[in-house]
């Protein structure tokens, strides 16, 4: 198990709002702040656009972890999009628990467009969390099968 | 409309554990309006099942279909192609829909993914409440448009009982006392006199107590 | 005389009546019932036998009533609408009458969700008022609820409950009037701790002349401790226990003695209210308090009427 954890590189999908997290990612890039390459960014016009199904599909497509990053509470460009996103994340966490994937593989973050550093921190934090959790149970099965063959 | 709620995933997992190819069948009428069975809910359950089954090493396909109403033969019959390929139809309609599937596809298993709850309506976002029990002889004209059969926990016709306090029912402080509501409405309408008369015992033979019911309309075939 | 029961005789001859309460056991042990009957005998004109009170399964009220009657104490059998439809109720009432039961208290009943079988399907075919109406017709018209005639009718002295502390306050009196119209000849009220509110309720009762059409027995009962008072105040549906009562018990060095003293004070106050025809002492699982209360309230000896 340790073996797997050590060479395990998690696949993480980040759904980022263009007004904050996505801009912060840009800023991190232009300021040359390092963040793990494990994170694949999906641009959203607002974190409120995130749908329960996007999150589930990301896991179905074998992501090991997923997070949604929206504006700080009270500063959503569309007023309450980030609050809706928060509720959906909560809901999908419960679905992931039911299914057995685990709600802790999904998270909601809030930050502003000026926080390039914070963006990198979140990416690291999530990568470490998922690394510690190991591959998604969905992928564990596959790797086991792969090993037998 | 008919209000339903999805069964816990654990139970659905149990129900589907022996099936290989599963068709999840939603209904776009009542139960879609109460967010139990529209395209979204069908897709969410399908995604959950796909992941769970993959983790549990179960083979087979999960298909999705949503039709206008699962309680009408015409709509249900149109599902035939997809049904052929499945060995279990997991219905996300109300109990009526599930039974329609069972009847139209007598050789297929049709299982319920929802718990059908009651006839009611949304009162605020995400909250639905019961209004009618289908007793077969409506008396709403006598009770200020608030049903004592469905909205009093004891279906009293001469309420409220001694447990009514502060507008709430003795059963649960979350339940409004139906009789307080009736009283308030009739006093607003200036019709409290109606409550002074004793309401005689109800003829329940028009309700389910009379056995499974049917409605026949002579004019329907004309 | 409708029934010729002792309770009916005591009330109709103008005596201030005393009834008490006897809860059947959660087992089929007749000795428990006999012991309680021994304690209460001679101190009350009749005792109510509860019908699966708070929806907890106990020996049937009719069977317990018969055991009590054998011990020489008159029962008031309680009948609720929660567990029986009109067929079962009528059948049980014929049986009760055949076994010599003469007093009947008609209730809708606590909801099954309050008890120890919350999974049970409730019946509620009738409500209390419809039940009273049915029992009166059985007796006075010799008719079953469906209208069919019967040869020998059950002759009950018919009672009902009233809760002066339930809402809507003004309407509960109108509802009492409905019970009286339906045939309730005596009324036992919910436990009274808020005497002021009860007095206001009695004023409305008198304004409607109901105290002249039915006998009103004020419900009273001792409380064992401040904790019990607090529980009733916060947890029991339909109760009104003012904060002072809790405080009074809290402050007492001997709460049990204080509970009895409190009960005596309330008896004295409700007796003074015009239209109160008696008291109903509910000392649940504390039957031994009843003799002391009856004695100290000056309600002994109980009248012997033939
Ligand atoms: S009276 Fe009967 S039909 Fe009318 S709302 Fe109530 S349950 Fe429904
Ligand atoms: S409190 Fe109101 S709703 Fe509840 S059982 Fe009594 S009368 Fe019916």
């Amino acid at each position: 198990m340790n073996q797997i954890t050590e060479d395990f590189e998690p696949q993480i999908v980040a759904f980022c709002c263009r007004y904050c997290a996505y801009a912060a990612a840009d800023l991190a890039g232009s300021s040359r702040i390092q963040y793990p390459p494990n994170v694949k960014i999906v641009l959203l016009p607002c974190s409120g656009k995130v749908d329960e199904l996007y999150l589930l599909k990301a896991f179905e497509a074998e992501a090991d972890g997923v997070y949604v990053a929206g504006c700080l509470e009270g500063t959503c460009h569309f007023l309450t999009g980030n609050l809706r996103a928060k509720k959906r994340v909560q809901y999908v966490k419960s679905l992931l628990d039911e299914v057995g994937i685990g709600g802790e593989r999904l998270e909601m973050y809030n930050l502003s467009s000026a926080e390039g550093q914070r963006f990198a921190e979140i990416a690291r934090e999530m990568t470490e969390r998922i690394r510690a959790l190991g591959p998604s149970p969905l992928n564990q099965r596959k790797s086991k099968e792969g090993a037998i063959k | 409309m008919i209000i339903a709620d999805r069964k816990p995933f654990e139970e659905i997992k149990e129900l589907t554990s022996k099936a290989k190819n599963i068709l999840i069948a939603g209904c776009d009428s009542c139960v879609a309006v109460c967010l139990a069975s529209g395209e979204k809910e069908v897709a969410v359950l399908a995604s959950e099942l796909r992941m769970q089954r993959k983790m549990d090493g179960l083979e087979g396909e999960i298909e999705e279909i949503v039709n206008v109403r699962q309680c009408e033969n015409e709509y249900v019959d149109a599902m035939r192609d997809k049904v052929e390929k499945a060995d279990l139809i997991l219905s996300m309609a109300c109990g009526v829909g599930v039974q329609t599937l069972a009847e139209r596809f007598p050789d297929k298993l049709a299982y319920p993914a929802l718990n059908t709850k009651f006839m009611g309506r949304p009162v605020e976002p995400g909250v639905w409440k019961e209004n009618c029990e289908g007793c077969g002889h409506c008396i709403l004209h006598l009770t200020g448009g608030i049903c004592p059969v469905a909205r009093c926990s004891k279906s009293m016709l001469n309420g409220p009982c001694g447990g009514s306090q502060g507008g709430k029912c003795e059963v649960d402080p979350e339940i409004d006392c139906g009789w307080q509501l009736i009283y308030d409405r009739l006093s607003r309408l200036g019709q409290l006199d109606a409550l002074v008369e004793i309401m005689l015992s109800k003829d329940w033979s028009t309700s389910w107590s009379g056995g499974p019911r049917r409605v026949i309309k002579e004019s329907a075939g004309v | 005389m409708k029934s010729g029961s002792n309770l009916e005789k005591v009330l109709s001859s103008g005596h201030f009546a005393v009834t008490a309460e006897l809860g059947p056991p959660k087992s089929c042990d007749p000795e428990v019932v006999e012991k309680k009957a021994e304690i209460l005998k001679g101190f009350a004109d009749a005792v109510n036998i509860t019908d699966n009170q708070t929806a907890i399964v106990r020996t049937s009220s009719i069977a317990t009533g018969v055991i009590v009657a054998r011990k020489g104490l008159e029962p008031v059998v309680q009948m609720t609408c929660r567990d029986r439809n009109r067929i079962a109720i009528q059948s049980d009432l014929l049986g009760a009458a055949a076994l010599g039961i003469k007093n009947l208290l008609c209730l809708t009943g606590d909801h099954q969700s309050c008890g120890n079988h919350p999974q049970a399907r409730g019946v509620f075919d009738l409500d209390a008022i419809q039940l009273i109406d049915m029992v009166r017709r059985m007796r006075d018209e010799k008719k079953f609820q469906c209208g069919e005639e019967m040869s020998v009718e059950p002759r009950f002295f018919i009672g009902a409950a009233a809760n002066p502390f339930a809402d809507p306050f003004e309407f509960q009196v109108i509802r009492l009037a409905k019970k009286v119209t339906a045939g309730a000849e005596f009324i036992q009220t919910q436990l009274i701790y808020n005497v002021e509110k009860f007095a206001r309720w009695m004023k409305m009762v008198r304004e409607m002349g109901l105290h002249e059409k039915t006998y009103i027995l004020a419900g009273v009962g001792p409380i064992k401790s401040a904790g019990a008072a607090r529980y009733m105040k916060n947890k029991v549906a339909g109760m009104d226990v003012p904060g002072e009562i809790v405080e009074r018990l809290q402050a007492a060095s001997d709460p049990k003695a204080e509970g009895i003293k409190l009960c005596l004070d309330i008896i004295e106050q409700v007796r003074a209210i015009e239209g109160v025809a008696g008291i109903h002492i509910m000392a649940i699982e504390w039957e031994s308090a009843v003799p002391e209360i009856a004695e100290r309230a000056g309600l002994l000896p109980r009248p012997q009427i033939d």
Side-chain angles (χ1 to χ4, degrees):
Chain A
M1 190 68 203
N2 264 339
Q3 195 73 34
I4 298 173
T5 320
E6 266 163 38
D7 18 287
F8 163 56
E9 282 305 335
Q11 297 288 322
I12 294 173
V13 179
F15 289 94
C16 296
C17 158
R18 66 180 296 177
Y19 292 100
C20 53
Y22 195 77
D26 244 5
L27 183 62
S30 57
S31 328
R32 309 201 182 286
I33 302 168
Q34 293 284 330
Y35 65 86
N38 308 61
V39 177
K40 306 278 178 296
I41 295 177
V42 178
L43 170 65
L44 293 179
C46 166
S47 61
K49 179 71 178 78
V50 82
D51 189 279
E52 291 92 321
L53 277 170
Y54 296 1
L55 302 173
L56 288 172
K57 293 282 179 194
F59 282 102
E60 263 197 75
E62 307 190 342
D64 299 296
V66 174
Y67 63 94
V68 180
C71 301
L72 296 168
E73 287 188 13
T75 66
C76 171
H77 203 76
F78 302 100
L79 304 176
T80 55
N82 52 356
L83 300 178
R84 286 172 199 276
K86 182 176 165 185
K87 275 198 182 157
R88 292 189 193 133
V89 165
Q90 272 313 326
Y91 173 60
V92 175
K93 272 172 169 282
S94 71
L95 298 183
L96 293 171
D97 281 335
E98 288 182 341
V99 173
I101 288 185
E104 66 280 8
R105 291 180 182 274
L106 174 64
E107 206 47 78
M108 172 84 201
Y109 289 101
N110 300 86
L111 75 173
S112 84
S113 59
E115 297 179 288
Q117 194 67 50
R118 175 75 186 128
F119 180 85
E121 225 173 270
I122 291 169
R124 275 196 295 275
E125 200 179 298
M126 203 59 191
T127 308
E128 284 321 305
R129 181 197 291 194
I130 304 301
R131 201 190 297 280
L133 287 170
S136 157
L138 227 69
N139 309 339
Q140 278 175 20
R141 176 151 187 99
K142 203 175 86 187
S143 54
K144 252 188 265 163
E145 274 168 3
I148 295 162
K149 279 175 199 158
Chain B
M1 63 184 158
I2 294 171
I3 310 298
D5 205 10
R6 205 183 87 178
K7 283 181 181 288
F9 188 71
E10 267 309 302
E11 193 181 339
I12 295 179
K13 199 167 127 181
E14 215 36 61
L15 295 180
T16 52
S17 63
K18 295 206 176 65
K20 203 169 160 205
N21 295 321
I22 301 171
L23 175 63
I24 304 184
C27 169
D28 219 6
S29 292
C30 309
V31 283
V33 183
C34 68
L35 306 181
S37 175
E39 257 172 54
K40 169 81 152 285
E41 291 76 22
V42 168
V44 166
L45 179 57
S47 174
E48 282 192 272
L49 273 175
R50 270 195 291 268
M51 291 194 275
Q52 171 261 322
R53 292 171 67 84
K54 189 169 164 198
M55 282 189 283
D56 293 350
L58 298 173
E59 313 239 303
E61 293 293 316
I62 307 279
E63 274 284 353
E64 303 163 33
I65 192 169
V66 179
N67 61 23
V68 179
R69 262 192 295 286
Q70 215 179 87
C71 55
E72 286 193 64
N73 295 349
E74 292 73 13
Y75 294 118
V76 167
D77 290 349
M79 295 166 52
R80 195 165 295 277
D81 286 350
K82 283 204 168 181
V83 168
E84 296 295 334
K85 292 186 208 113
D87 34 45
L88 169 66
I89 323 171
L90 187 56
S91 166
M92 292 191 83
C94 70
V96 182
V98 186
Q99 294 181 59
T100 311
L101 295 178
E103 194 181 297
R104 301 308 288 177
F105 306 115
D107 303 319
K108 293 283 174 191
L109 292 176
Y111 286 174
L114 303 186
N115 289 320
T116 304
K117 299 270 183 168
F118 51 77
M119 283 188 269
R121 65 191 186 90
V123 288
E124 55 186 88
V127 181
W128 290 266
K129 285 190 179 169
E130 180 162 17
N131 286 89
C132 171
E133 257 186 36
C135 74
H137 185 168
C138 196
I139 52 165
L140 284 172
H141 54 295
L142 301 174
T143 56
I146 292 148
C147 174
V149 178
R151 297 175 74 183
C152 163
S153 304
K154 300 174 189 167
S155 293
M156 295 171 73
L157 298 190
N158 297 281
C161 75
S164 174
Q165 269 182 333
K168 298 297 172 187
C169 172
E170 70 172 32
V171 168
D172 181 340
E174 293 293 314
I175 301 174
D176 291 327
C177 168
W179 271 97
Q180 176 76 53
L181 298 175
I182 293 171
Y183 176 82
D184 291 346
R185 181 88 204 288
L186 287 178
S187 67
R188 184 182 181 140
L189 294 175
Q191 289 181 3
L192 276 182
D193 297 355
L195 294 188
V196 175
E197 295 289 312
I198 292 175
M199 227 190 274
L200 297 179
S201 50
K202 194 164 166 62
D203 175 357
W204 292 110
S205 68
T206 59
S207 76
W208 170 82
S209 295
R213 292 163 281 172
R214 59 190 170 160
V215 170
I216 300 171
K217 277 205 176 70
E218 299 293 350
S219 60
V222 179
Chain C
M1 279 292 137
K2 301 286 189 184
S3 68
S5 77
N6 183 52
L7 180 61
E8 185 180 5
K9 285 184 201 156
V10 168
L11 283 165
S12 61
S13 59
H15 291 283
F16 190 79
V18 177
T19 54
E21 195 147 300
L22 188 155
K26 277 170 86 174
S27 78
C28 56
D29 185 357
E31 274 178 35
V32 178
V33 178
E34 285 162 0
K35 268 190 206 132
K36 288 184 179 181
E38 286 298 343
I39 297 171
L40 296 170
K41 193 176 163 183
F43 300 101
D45 305 314
V47 288
N48 284 40
I49 315 294
T50 49
D51 176 14
N52 298 303
Q53 197 179 15
T54 63
I56 290 173
V57 180
R58 293 169 181 277
T59 299
S60 95
S61 58
I62 294 171
T64 307
V66 170
I67 299 171
V68 166
R70 274 198 220 130
K71 282 272 143 192
L73 183 60
E74 185 173 278
V76 177
V77 162
Q78 297 194 176
M79 175 63 68
T80 71
C81 302
R82 176 192 56 232
D83 312 317
R84 303 168 188 82
N85 65 11
R86 59 191 84 177
I87 301 172
I89 293 178
Q90 291 179 97
S91 159
D92 278 355
L93 292 183
L94 294 180
L99 288 165
I101 304 292
K102 292 187 176 136
N103 304 307
L104 184 75
L105 189 83
C106 301
L107 304 162
T108 302
D110 297 319
H111 194 267
Q112 63 276 9
S113 66
C114 310
N116 62 354
H117 290 72
Q119 306 85 350
R121 185 165 191 148
V123 179
F124 301 111
D125 175 15
L126 305 175
D127 63 24
I129 290 175
Q130 294 161 347
L131 170 59
I132 296 164
D133 185 63
M134 179 175 86
V135 177
R136 194 204 72 240
R137 284 177 205 264
M138 286 172 85
R139 183 189 66 195
D140 297 350
E141 297 172 13
K142 292 181 142 200
K143 278 188 181 143
F144 287 104
Q145 198 271 341
C146 62
E148 274 174 32
E149 311 254 339
M150 71 183 86
S151 53
V152 180
E153 75 285 10
R155 301 207 60 83
F156 292 116
F157 185 42
I158 306 171
N163 185 1
F165 311 106
D167 289 323
F169 184 59
E170 316 75 46
F171 186 67
Q172 288 291 349
V173 183
I174 296 174
R175 195 159 168 268
L176 172 65
K178 288 172 84 168
K179 289 188 173 178
V180 174
T181 308
E185 285 134 359
F186 70 98
I187 300 294
Q188 290 168 321
T189 77
Q190 170 68 291
L191 278 165
I192 300 161
Y193 294 105
N194 184 343
V195 179
E196 181 270 329
K197 192 162 187 188
F198 173 68
R200 266 193 286 143
W201 184 80
M202 278 304 296
K203 183 160 176 277
M204 292 194 288
V205 167
R206 288 193 303 274
E207 279 162 6
M208 292 185 72
L210 296 175
H211 63 308
E212 281 157 359
K213 297 186 187 146
T214 193
Y215 300 107
I216 294 176
L217 278 59
V220 296
I223 315 182
K224 272 183 178 162
S225 66
R230 222 173 282 123
Y231 179 80
M232 279 202 257
K233 180 180 167 66
N234 301 325
K235 293 272 151 55
V236 183
M239 291 285 300
D240 181 348
V241 183
E244 305 99 80
I245 302 264
V246 181
E247 285 156 28
R248 184 168 158 184
L249 290 164
Q250 189 81 58
S253 52
D254 181 350
K256 272 183 148 184
E258 190 61 29
I260 290 187
K261 179 76 190 15
L262 176 76
C263 182
L264 289 165
D265 289 350
I266 292 173
I267 292 174
E268 197 183 313
Q269 293 170 48
V270 297
R271 262 189 103 161
I273 298 172
E274 187 191 342
V276 173
I279 53 164
H280 176 53
I281 309 172
M282 286 171 267
I284 301 127
E285 295 310 314
W286 193 11
E287 285 77 9
S288 58
V290 174
E292 182 182 347
I293 291 169
E295 164 84 69
R296 288 173 61 190
L299 295 166
L300 298 181
R302 298 310 308 148
Q304 299 295 321
I305 304 165
D306 292 311

